[in-house]
Structure formats: C-alpha cells, structure tokens
Amino acid sequence: MAAPSSPLCAATGGVRLQIRLTPKASRDAIQGLADEADGGQVLKVSVTAVPEDGKANAALIQLLSKAWKLPKSGFEIIAGATDRRKTLLVHGDTQTLLDHLRQRMPS
C-alpha cells in the first residue's frame, strides 16, 4: 500500500499527522515538508529538548499546539513515541482540522 503523499490524513476522530522529529536541535522550529524514501511526506520538526523521558515529545506537542493555536490535550502520539518518525493524532472534527492544518502547513 502506498503511503499518503501528504503528512496529513483524515482519521476517525481527527487527523493523523506524520512527523520526523530532530531532538537536541539549536532551536524549536517547524522546518517544512520532506519526502520520505517510501514516497510519502513528513513534516520536519526540530526541538531543543533531549530525547529522554518524553521531553522531546512534550516539546513537539507544545510547539505544534502554539504554532497552530490548538490545545495541547488535542495531540496524541499514536506511533513512534521513541522513534524519530512519529504519527500524531490531532483530535477534533476531521474536516475542520484538515482545513485548519492545511492552511498552516509550510509549503
């Protein structure tokens, strides 16, 4: 099965988001979209937090929450909690979230 070409994907109860996280970076930033070897796309994000005790994951959720003006409680890491590649579920109305996030995706 081919991977979705966009990092965003409609899901039950919200939107799935594919992320490639770089911890211990020089700054917290949403860097943009990147192509993956499997043909899919991910949103590249860097955080200054270290990848231990969930600190980098917490920093990722805080950064996305602030940038996209969504509650932190609406984000859930559903795959890859200890990996650089993560799948997040953003809880909410699927179509409203897709529209909201597509407007805020870097090109």
Side-chain angles (χ1 to χ4, degrees):
M1 183 171 105
S5 59
S6 165
L8 296 173
C9 174
T12 304
V15 173
R16 271 200 322 263
L17 175 63
Q18 302 296 325
I19 301 272
R20 188 165 67 215
L21 182 65
T22 303
K24 294 194 300 189
S26 58
R27 65 189 181 100
D28 292 345
I30 298 173
Q31 297 175 309
L33 300 176
D35 294 325
E36 291 285 276
D38 62 9
Q41 269 193 328
V42 292
L43 181 64
K44 285 176 53 178
V45 180
S46 60
V47 295
T48 57
V50 293
E52 54 192 45
D53 301 325
K55 290 176 184 160
N57 290 341
L60 167 66
I61 289 172
Q62 181 164 348
L63 175 65
L64 295 178
S65 168
K66 188 173 179 185
W68 294 341
K69 296 176 176 37
L70 294 169
K72 285 190 284 194
S73 60
F75 291 86
E76 177 186 358
I77 296 175
I78 56 174
T82 59
D83 195 5
R84 287 171 57 93
R85 283 191 66 170
K86 301 181 184 303
T87 303
L88 272 62
L89 179 61
V90 185
H91 295 278
D93 178 71
T94 304
Q95 194 55 54
T96 304
L97 274 173
L98 276 173
D99 294 343
H100 181 81
L101 295 176
R102 281 186 180 131
Q103 290 173 1
R104 287 158 177 77
M105 270 294 139
S107 48

